[in-house]
Tab-separated table of all heavy atoms in Angstrom:
chain	number	residue	atom	x	y	z
A	24	ALA	N	2.404	7.494	9.550
A	24	ALA	CA	2.308	6.058	9.292
A	24	ALA	C	0.872	5.562	9.297
A	24	ALA	O	0.210	5.635	10.356
A	24	ALA	CB	3.159	5.284	10.298
A	25	PRO	N	0.372	5.043	8.176
A	25	PRO	CA	-0.960	4.462	8.175
A	25	PRO	C	-0.990	3.217	9.061
A	25	PRO	O	-0.073	2.396	9.020
A	25	PRO	CB	-1.212	4.093	6.715
A	25	PRO	CG	-0.160	4.841	5.928
A	25	PRO	CD	0.993	5.036	6.854
A	26	THR	N	-2.031	3.102	9.850
A	26	THR	CA	-2.185	1.909	10.699
A	26	THR	C	-2.618	0.732	9.842
A	26	THR	O	-2.985	0.894	8.663
A	26	THR	CB	-3.270	2.145	11.772
A	26	THR	OG1	-4.503	2.366	11.096
A	26	THR	CG2	-2.915	3.323	12.693
A	27	ASP	N	-2.612	-0.447	10.429
A	27	ASP	CA	-3.086	-1.636	9.692
A	27	ASP	C	-4.536	-1.413	9.249
A	27	ASP	O	-4.924	-1.814	8.153
A	27	ASP	CB	-2.958	-2.881	10.579
A	27	ASP	CG	-1.506	-3.245	10.847
A	27	ASP	OD1	-0.634	-2.890	10.008
A	27	ASP	OD2	-1.237	-3.873	11.875
A	28	GLU	N	-5.347	-0.788	10.103
A	28	GLU	CA	-6.748	-0.510	9.738
A	28	GLU	C	-6.825	0.432	8.543
A	28	GLU	O	-7.727	0.309	7.701
A	28	GLU	CB	-7.500	0.110	10.938
A	28	GLU	CG	-7.786	-0.897	12.038
A	28	GLU	CD	-8.670	-2.029	11.574
A	28	GLU	OE1	-9.689	-1.815	10.907
A	28	GLU	OE2	-8.317	-3.213	11.877
A	29	ALA	N	-5.894	1.365	8.421
A	29	ALA	CA	-5.880	2.284	7.290
A	29	ALA	C	-5.629	1.542	5.980
A	29	ALA	O	-6.285	1.806	4.966
A	29	ALA	CB	-4.797	3.360	7.486
A	30	PHE	N	-4.738	0.576	6.010
A	30	PHE	CA	-4.438	-0.214	4.818
A	30	PHE	C	-5.647	-1.066	4.414
A	30	PHE	O	-5.877	-1.304	3.243
A	30	PHE	CB	-3.189	-1.063	5.007
A	30	PHE	CG	-1.913	-0.343	4.753
A	30	PHE	CD1	-1.171	0.176	5.809
A	30	PHE	CD2	-1.425	-0.166	3.460
A	30	PHE	CE1	0.011	0.856	5.578
A	30	PHE	CE2	-0.242	0.506	3.211
A	30	PHE	CZ	0.476	1.030	4.285
A	31	LYS	N	-6.434	-1.482	5.390
A	31	LYS	CA	-7.622	-2.295	5.107
A	31	LYS	C	-8.695	-1.472	4.349
A	31	LYS	O	-9.574	-2.046	3.706
A	31	LYS	CB	-8.212	-2.856	6.380
A	31	LYS	CG	-7.388	-3.946	6.998
A	31	LYS	CD	-7.982	-4.444	8.306
A	31	LYS	CE	-7.078	-5.459	8.979
A	31	LYS	NZ	-7.562	-5.872	10.302
A	32	LYS	N	-8.602	-0.149	4.402
A	32	LYS	CA	-9.574	0.707	3.694
A	32	LYS	C	-9.272	0.828	2.219
A	32	LYS	O	-10.109	1.344	1.468
A	32	LYS	CB	-9.576	2.110	4.328
A	32	LYS	CG	-10.088	2.170	5.748
A	32	LYS	CD	-10.002	3.604	6.259
A	32	LYS	CE	-10.424	3.696	7.708
A	32	LYS	NZ	-10.274	5.090	8.211
A	33	LEU	N	-8.086	0.403	1.774
A	33	LEU	CA	-7.777	0.481	0.353
A	33	LEU	C	-8.699	-0.436	-0.439
A	33	LEU	O	-9.178	-1.434	0.095
A	33	LEU	CB	-6.307	0.068	0.102
A	33	LEU	CG	-5.237	0.968	0.652
A	33	LEU	CD1	-3.858	0.335	0.446
A	33	LEU	CD2	-5.285	2.345	-0.009
A	34	THR	N	-8.910	-0.103	-1.695
A	34	THR	CA	-9.740	-0.964	-2.529
A	34	THR	C	-9.109	-2.347	-2.630
A	34	THR	O	-7.881	-2.480	-2.574
A	34	THR	CB	-9.940	-0.361	-3.934
A	34	THR	OG1	-8.666	-0.170	-4.513
A	34	THR	CG2	-10.698	0.931	-3.884
A	35	ALA	N	-9.944	-3.341	-2.803
A	35	ALA	CA	-9.464	-4.714	-2.867
A	35	ALA	C	-8.383	-4.854	-3.944
A	35	ALA	O	-8.548	-4.415	-5.062
A	35	ALA	CB	-10.615	-5.677	-3.173
A	36	GLY	N	-7.249	-5.445	-3.558
A	36	GLY	CA	-6.179	-5.705	-4.508
A	36	GLY	C	-5.198	-4.547	-4.687
A	36	GLY	O	-4.136	-4.728	-5.271
A	37	ALA	N	-5.525	-3.365	-4.178
A	37	ALA	CA	-4.649	-2.197	-4.373
A	37	ALA	C	-3.305	-2.386	-3.700
A	37	ALA	O	-2.257	-2.072	-4.284
A	37	ALA	CB	-5.322	-0.928	-3.889
A	38	TYR	N	-3.305	-2.891	-2.476
A	38	TYR	CA	-2.033	-3.070	-1.765
A	38	TYR	C	-1.196	-4.142	-2.445
A	38	TYR	O	0.013	-3.956	-2.652
A	38	TYR	CB	-2.305	-3.450	-0.291
A	38	TYR	CG	-1.035	-3.676	0.504
A	38	TYR	CD1	-0.189	-2.622	0.811
A	38	TYR	CD2	-0.675	-4.960	0.917
A	38	TYR	CE1	0.982	-2.824	1.519
A	38	TYR	CE2	0.520	-5.148	1.629
A	38	TYR	CZ	1.309	-4.093	1.933
A	38	TYR	OH	2.487	-4.307	2.636
A	39	ASP	N	-1.816	-5.240	-2.870
A	39	ASP	CA	-1.080	-6.309	-3.549
A	39	ASP	C	-0.467	-5.792	-4.861
A	39	ASP	O	0.642	-6.137	-5.231
A	39	ASP	CB	-1.965	-7.515	-3.814
A	39	ASP	CG	-2.366	-8.231	-2.522
A	39	ASP	OD1	-1.576	-8.166	-1.547
A	39	ASP	OD2	-3.460	-8.810	-2.489
A	40	SER	N	-1.243	-4.931	-5.545
A	40	SER	CA	-0.760	-4.341	-6.789
A	40	SER	C	0.456	-3.444	-6.513
A	40	SER	O	1.439	-3.475	-7.258
A	40	SER	CB	-1.893	-3.531	-7.439
A	40	SER	OG	-1.462	-2.955	-8.633
A	41	LEU	N	0.407	-2.686	-5.440
A	41	LEU	CA	1.529	-1.824	-5.051
A	41	LEU	C	2.785	-2.637	-4.745
A	41	LEU	O	3.884	-2.257	-5.118
A	41	LEU	CB	1.156	-1.030	-3.771
A	41	LEU	CG	0.860	0.441	-3.895
A	41	LEU	CD1	0.660	1.049	-2.527
A	41	LEU	CD2	1.862	1.217	-4.708
A	42	LEU	N	2.594	-3.755	-4.065
A	42	LEU	CA	3.745	-4.607	-3.714
A	42	LEU	C	4.461	-5.111	-4.956
A	42	LEU	O	5.674	-5.388	-4.913
A	42	LEU	CB	3.310	-5.791	-2.851
A	42	LEU	CG	2.925	-5.460	-1.413
A	42	LEU	CD1	2.452	-6.724	-0.694
A	42	LEU	CD2	4.093	-4.828	-0.662
A	43	LYS	N	3.740	-5.237	-6.074
A	43	LYS	CA	4.339	-5.714	-7.318
A	43	LYS	C	5.056	-4.618	-8.091
A	43	LYS	O	5.775	-4.883	-9.050
A	43	LYS	CB	3.256	-6.349	-8.224
A	43	LYS	CG	2.668	-7.613	-7.608
A	43	LYS	CD	1.534	-8.139	-8.421
A	43	LYS	CE	0.921	-9.353	-7.698
A	43	LYS	NZ	-0.394	-9.666	-8.215
A	44	ASP	N	4.843	-3.366	-7.704
A	44	ASP	CA	5.475	-2.206	-8.374
A	44	ASP	C	6.284	-1.451	-7.312
A	44	ASP	O	5.796	-0.476	-6.733
A	44	ASP	CB	4.378	-1.317	-8.978
A	44	ASP	CG	4.944	-0.144	-9.787
A	44	ASP	OD1	6.160	0.154	-9.653
A	44	ASP	OD2	4.162	0.507	-10.483
A	45	THR	N	7.503	-1.911	-7.064
A	45	THR	CA	8.288	-1.340	-5.965
A	45	THR	C	8.583	0.172	-6.164
A	45	THR	O	8.693	0.897	-5.198
A	45	THR	CB	9.598	-2.106	-5.720
A	45	THR	OG1	10.332	-2.173	-6.954
A	45	THR	CG2	9.346	-3.491	-5.195
A	46	GLY	N	8.682	0.617	-7.417
A	46	GLY	CA	8.904	2.026	-7.655
A	46	GLY	C	7.730	2.872	-7.153
A	46	GLY	O	7.936	3.879	-6.482
A	47	LYS	N	6.538	2.449	-7.475
A	47	LYS	CA	5.341	3.185	-7.016
A	47	LYS	C	5.185	3.029	-5.507
A	47	LYS	O	4.817	3.981	-4.819
A	47	LYS	CB	4.093	2.690	-7.744
A	47	LYS	CG	2.879	3.555	-7.453
A	47	LYS	CD	1.783	3.356	-8.448
A	47	LYS	CE	0.681	4.398	-8.221
A	47	LYS	NZ	-0.348	4.350	-9.245
A	48	LEU	N	5.455	1.827	-4.975
A	48	LEU	CA	5.349	1.568	-3.540
A	48	LEU	C	6.294	2.526	-2.797
A	48	LEU	O	5.910	3.157	-1.825
A	48	LEU	CB	5.678	0.135	-3.213
A	48	LEU	CG	5.681	-0.229	-1.728
A	48	LEU	CD1	4.328	-0.033	-1.087
A	48	LEU	CD2	6.162	-1.696	-1.551
A	49	LYS	N	7.521	2.634	-3.285
A	49	LYS	CA	8.503	3.523	-2.645
A	49	LYS	C	8.015	4.975	-2.687
A	49	LYS	O	8.129	5.698	-1.707
A	49	LYS	CB	9.857	3.374	-3.351
A	49	LYS	CG	10.986	4.118	-2.681
A	49	LYS	CD	12.331	3.777	-3.317
A	49	LYS	CE	13.450	4.435	-2.556
A	49	LYS	NZ	14.753	4.063	-3.090
A	50	ALA	N	7.466	5.391	-3.832
A	50	ALA	CA	6.958	6.754	-3.957
A	50	ALA	C	5.810	7.013	-2.989
A	50	ALA	O	5.760	8.058	-2.337
A	50	ALA	CB	6.526	7.020	-5.413
A	51	VAL	N	4.868	6.054	-2.886
A	51	VAL	CA	3.733	6.213	-1.969
A	51	VAL	C	4.234	6.299	-0.522
A	51	VAL	O	3.800	7.182	0.229
A	51	VAL	CB	2.719	5.050	-2.144
A	51	VAL	CG1	1.718	5.038	-1.015
A	51	VAL	CG2	2.011	5.175	-3.489
A	52	LEU	N	5.157	5.451	-0.150
A	52	LEU	CA	5.661	5.478	1.249
A	52	LEU	C	6.437	6.761	1.506
A	52	LEU	O	6.280	7.360	2.597
A	52	LEU	CB	6.528	4.256	1.507
A	52	LEU	CG	5.777	2.918	1.505
A	52	LEU	CD1	6.745	1.765	1.618
A	52	LEU	CD2	4.722	2.846	2.579
A	53	ASN	N	7.243	7.209	0.563
A	53	ASN	CA	7.989	8.456	0.744
A	53	ASN	C	7.062	9.667	0.859
A	53	ASN	O	7.442	10.680	1.428
A	53	ASN	CB	9.011	8.667	-0.368
A	53	ASN	CG	10.317	7.956	-0.099
A	53	ASN	OD1	10.744	7.839	1.050
A	53	ASN	ND2	10.972	7.498	-1.134
């Protein structure tokens, strides 16, 4: 499990972009 700090290392907007694509989000989490 990535910590909150780990998610902050993503490029700006990458996490928000993932949230809009649930298929890719699910694949990344799996």
Side-chain angles (χ1 to χ4, degrees):
T26 62
D27 293 334
E28 288 299 313
F30 277 98
K31 289 177 184 175
K32 293 178 184 178
L33 293 174
T34 57
Y38 179 70
D39 292 331
S40 180
L41 254 186
L42 287 177
K43 294 175 185 163
D44 184 347
T45 53
K47 188 163 189 174
L48 177 62
K49 187 173 185 175
V51 167
L52 294 173
N53 275 327

